[in-house]
Amino acid sequence: MRSLLLVSAALLVAAAPPAKLKAPSEIVAEAPASAWRDINPDNLVVMDLRNGARVVIQLAPEFAPVHVANIRALAKGNWWSGAAIYRVQDNYVVQWGNNESTRPLPPGVIAKPPAEYHRSLKGLSVRPLGYADDYAPSAGFAGGWPIGYDPKTGTANLTHCYGYVGVGRDLSPDTGTGGELYAVIGHAPRHLDRNIAVVGRVIEGIDRLSSLPRGTEALGFYKDESMQVPISAVRLASEIPATERPAYQFMDTGSATFGAYVKARANRKDDFFIRPAGGVDLCNAAVPVRKKSA
Amino acid sequence: MRSLLLVSAALLVAAAPPAKLKAPSEIVAEAPASAWRDINPDNLVVMDLRNGARVVIQLAPEFAPVHVANIRALAKGNWWSGAAIYRVQDNYVVQWGNNESTRPLPPGVIAKPPAEYHRSLKGLSVRPLGYADDYAPSAGFAGGWPIGYDPKTGTANLTHCYGYVGVGRDLSPDTGTGGELYAVIGHAPRHLDRNIAVVGRVIEGIDRLSSLPRGTEALGFYKDESMQVPISAVRLASEIPATERPAYQFMDTGSATFGAYVKARANRKDDFFIRPAGGVDLCNAAVPVRKKSA
C-alpha cells in the first residue's frame, strides 16, 4: 500500500480505540452550533479572478478600523476593476491591487490612514495560547483572531500567520490605503507584526493564490504584465444578492470547543503520532472557519 | 509610486545611514569564504521533472544515515524512473515517489529501516537559537541544520521547516524506505518532528514544487494520474559528470557570520522596519545556502 503520510484521523476514526485523544479535525467536525459565529457580510471581501478562482477574505475591523473602512469603500467604488496580482514571492507573499498614487481614490477613502499596527488590549477577551511566542511577550486569541499581546503596555496585534492579509505600504508607516494588499503564502513572517497593518485573512481560495507561478524579478514581482493574474471583481458579500451571497462562520475562540482544539493541536495522539509535541505555535493553531450551509 | 511592501534592504543600502543594523541579506552577501562549507556531491540529490524544473535536495546523513543510504541506493538503482509527484496539499506538503510495496527495491536498499526520528546530541556542536521553541526543550543549529534538542535526554532531531524533506510512511514507525518523499510547502508542521524521518532539505527549486496545483482529493492527492507531475530523472550529483554537476555551499552554523545573521533576523532594523521583534523562531532563521560558482 502506498505510504499515506499523515493520514487524517477522520479516515481512521472508525478503527481508533476510544482511549485515544481526538484529532483536531474531529473536534472541529463535532463542534456544537454554539461554538460557531456568523461572519458579518460587511466583513467579507469576495475577490473573483479572471481565471475563475474565487478568494474570500474576512476583514478584522476590531484591529484596523480605518483600513477596513477604506477597503469597503474601495470595493464599493469598484476601484479594483482592472487590477491584477502582480507579485508572488515564494515562502512569503502574494500581492495585488492598483497603483494608489496614480489612480484616483473613490469617495470615503482616507489617503493616509493612521498606522494601525496594534490596538489596546481593552475590550478584548483573550484566551492565552499557553505556549511561548518568539514575537510578542504573550500570544493567544481574541474574537476569533490570533494575536500577540503585551500585558505591560496593554497592546495587542493581529499576527502574520499563513493566509493573513496585510496592507502594502512604502517606507513611511502612514502610507498604504488598503488598495494594495498581500496574503502570506509561506512560513509565518511574524517579524512583520506591528510593522504593517494586518486587516484580515483569506478564508477561501488561499490555495489559488499560493499555487500561482512565482515572479522572477526581485521580491517576486512578475517580469512582464502578461504574467499578471487579472482580477475581474472585488465586492463585499453584503453587495451580492442574498441568494448568491456566500456565508461563513468562524469558531468562537472563547468556546470550550476551541480550547479542546488547541490542546489537541499541541498534543497530537491520533494514530499516526508517536510522540506528541506538548506544544504548538500560534500559527499552527489556525482558527477554524467553515462555509455556512444555506 | 507603487507600494513596495518589504523592500529588500539590498536595494536601500546606498541610502541607509551607517548606524542601521545590517539586514540579514546583507550579512549573507558579505559573508567571508571561510563561513561557507561545500556540500559533498554524495549528499546532493538532483531531481529533474519532465516539465523542465530542477529540484535539488541536500541530504542529512548525520541525522538519518540508513534512510540517506537508501535514498542514494534508490537513485543509483534508477528506482524513481517513471515516478511522479502525486500529492500537493496546501500549506503542508508536496509528495512524490513510487509504490514501495509493489515495485521491487534495488540492491542495497533496506526495506524496513529503523525509526531515525532523533539522534544523540553527542558529536554535534550546537549553537542555541537563543529564543523559545514550542516543539522541543531547546532549539538551535548543528552542522548546518536546524535542530530541536533536549539536553536532559541527550537527543536531537532535524526539524520540519519550510522546504525540509521527510520520508512518507504508513502508521507503523519502521516503514518508509525513502522511496516516497515529501517536502514542506507551508507553515512549518513542527508537530511532525520526532514522528517521521527528516532526511534533508530542498536547496533549489522549492518554488517549482510549492506552485504546483493543489490536489482536490483528501490530503491533497491528485484525483487522476493525468494531473501528476512526472519525474524524468533522480540522480546523485556525484553520478553527474563533473563538468555538468551543480555545486552548492551552506553557511557554517558555527561561524560568527551565522551568529550575526540570526541576530539580524531577530532584530530587523533595516529601513522598512519600525519595531524589531526581538526574537525569531527556528524556521524563520533559514540556514543560508548558495550555488558555488565554478
Side-chain angles (χ1 to χ4, degrees):
Chain A
M1 195 185 84
R2 187 159 280 242
S3 290
L4 290 175
L5 164 69
L6 324 180
V7 173
S8 103
L11 300 176
L12 298 166
V13 64
K20 297 253 170 202
L21 262 191
K22 282 183 182 170
S25 57
E26 292 175 90
I27 292 168
V28 173
E30 296 168 8
S34 61
W36 297 97
R37 298 281 171 271
D38 289 346
I39 299 177
N40 182 329
D42 270 334
N43 290 338
L44 282 176
V45 174
V46 179
M47 177 164 77
D48 291 312
L49 305 181
R50 211 174 295 160
N51 65 17
R54 169 166 284 190
V55 175
V56 181
I57 295 163
Q58 178 187 4
L59 297 172
E62 311 92 311
F63 289 88
V66 180
H67 284 90
V68 164
N70 268 5
I71 290 167
R72 290 190 189 120
L74 290 161
K76 285 178 187 167
N78 220 8
W79 194 76
W80 281 290
S81 164
I85 297 169
Y86 52 79
R87 175 188 180 198
V88 185
Q89 185 171 1
D90 195 60
N91 193 19
Y92 208 22
V93 296
V94 169
Q95 190 171 335
W96 65 91
N98 269 316
N99 192 328
E100 299 167 300
S101 51
T102 58
R103 188 181 168 96
L105 295 165
V109 176
I110 292 170
K112 291 195 175 293
E116 299 176 307
Y117 303 161
H118 56 74
R119 56 157 282 167
S120 170
L121 257 177
K122 271 184 204 157
L124 294 181
S125 175
V126 177
R127 171 192 292 278
L129 173 67
Y131 303 102
D133 192 72
D134 287 319
Y135 298 92
S138 299
F141 304 90
W145 299 100
I147 60 168
Y149 63 100
D150 185 349
K152 272 194 207 162
T153 60
T155 57
N157 63 275
L158 258 185
T159 52
H160 278 85
C161 294
Y162 191 87
Y164 277 67
V165 175
V167 174
R169 66 164 170 89
D170 290 321
L171 292 180
S172 166
D174 66 353
T175 57
T177 60
E180 298 185 73
L181 297 170
Y182 64 89
V184 172
I185 56 159
H187 187 74
R190 296 278 313 279
H191 49 287
L192 299 175
D193 291 0
R194 302 187 305 137
N195 284 281
I196 303 187
V198 183
V199 293
R201 62 183 163 215
V202 176
I203 59 170
E204 181 177 323
I206 185 67
D207 56 315
R208 300 300 294 267
L209 300 179
S210 58
S211 60
L212 291 172
R214 277 47 181 159
T216 54
E217 297 299 283
L219 307 174
F221 284 89
Y222 284 132
K223 190 165 185 177
D224 51 71
E225 289 201 6
S226 68
M227 299 178 71
Q228 295 184 356
V229 182
I231 294 166
S232 52
V234 176
R235 293 171 294 174
L236 294 177
S238 53
E239 297 179 282
I240 299 174
T243 51
E244 301 163 30
R245 184 187 297 169
Y248 299 83
Q249 297 180 308
F250 65 94
M251 190 174 280
D252 178 358
T253 49
S255 67
T257 305
F258 186 75
Y261 164 82
V262 173
K263 192 178 169 193
R265 292 289 305 168
N267 299 284
R268 294 294 294 268
K269 281 187 186 163
D270 29 306
D271 281 4
F272 188 82
F273 289 85
I274 303 157
R275 294 182 192 87
V280 64
D281 74 81
L282 184 69
C283 293
N284 259 332
V287 176
V289 173
R290 67 177 186 182
K291 207 153 189 173
K292 191 181 178 183
S293 40
Chain B
M1 195 185 81
R2 185 159 282 242
S3 290
L4 291 175
L5 164 68
L6 324 181
V7 173
S8 103
L11 301 176
L12 298 166
V13 63
K20 296 254 171 202
L21 261 191
K22 282 184 182 169
S25 57
E26 292 175 271
I27 292 168
V28 173
E30 296 169 8
S34 61
W36 297 97
R37 297 281 171 273
D38 290 346
I39 299 177
N40 182 328
D42 270 333
N43 290 338
L44 282 176
V45 174
V46 180
M47 176 164 77
D48 291 313
L49 305 181
R50 214 175 295 160
N51 65 16
R54 169 165 284 189
V55 175
V56 181
I57 296 163
Q58 178 188 5
L59 298 171
E62 311 92 310
F63 289 88
V66 179
H67 285 90
V68 164
N70 268 5
I71 290 167
R72 290 190 189 121
L74 290 161
K76 286 180 187 164
N78 220 7
W79 193 76
W80 281 291
S81 163
I85 297 169
Y86 53 79
R87 176 188 180 199
V88 184
Q89 185 171 0
D90 195 60
N91 192 20
Y92 208 22
V93 296
V94 169
Q95 190 171 335
W96 65 90
N98 269 317
N99 192 327
E100 299 167 301
S101 51
T102 57
R103 189 180 167 95
L105 295 165
V109 176
I110 292 172
K112 291 195 175 293
E116 299 176 308
Y117 303 162
H118 56 73
R119 56 156 284 168
S120 170
L121 258 177
K122 272 186 202 154
L124 294 181
S125 175
V126 177
R127 171 192 291 278
L129 173 67
Y131 303 103
D133 192 73
D134 287 320
Y135 297 92
S138 299
F141 304 89
W145 299 99
I147 59 169
Y149 63 102
D150 185 349
K152 271 194 209 163
T153 60
T155 57
N157 62 274
L158 258 184
T159 52
H160 279 86
C161 293
Y162 191 86
Y164 277 66
V165 175
V167 174
R169 67 163 170 90
D170 291 320
L171 292 178
S172 165
D174 66 353
T175 55
T177 59
E180 298 185 74
L181 297 170
Y182 63 89
V184 171
I185 57 160
H187 187 74
R190 295 278 312 279
H191 49 289
L192 299 175
D193 291 0
R194 302 187 307 138
N195 284 281
I196 303 188
V198 184
V199 292
R201 61 184 163 213
V202 175
I203 59 170
E204 181 177 322
I206 186 67
D207 56 315
R208 300 300 295 268
L209 299 179
S210 59
S211 60
L212 291 173
R214 277 45 180 158
T216 54
E217 297 299 284
L219 307 174
F221 284 89
Y222 283 132
K223 191 167 183 175
D224 50 71
E225 287 200 6
S226 69
M227 298 178 72
Q228 295 184 356
V229 182
I231 295 167
S232 53
V234 176
R235 293 171 293 174
L236 294 177
S238 53
E239 296 179 282
I240 298 174
T243 50
E244 300 164 31
R245 183 187 299 171
Y248 299 84
Q249 296 180 309
F250 64 94
M251 189 174 279
D252 178 357
T253 50
S255 67
T257 306
F258 186 75
Y261 164 81
V262 173
K263 192 178 170 191
R265 292 289 305 168
N267 299 282
R268 294 294 294 268
K269 281 187 187 163
D270 29 304
D271 281 4
F272 188 81
F273 289 86
I274 303 156
R275 294 183 193 86
V280 64
D281 76 80
L282 184 68
C283 294
N284 258 333
V287 176
V289 173
R290 67 177 187 182
K291 208 154 187 172
K292 191 180 177 182
S293 40

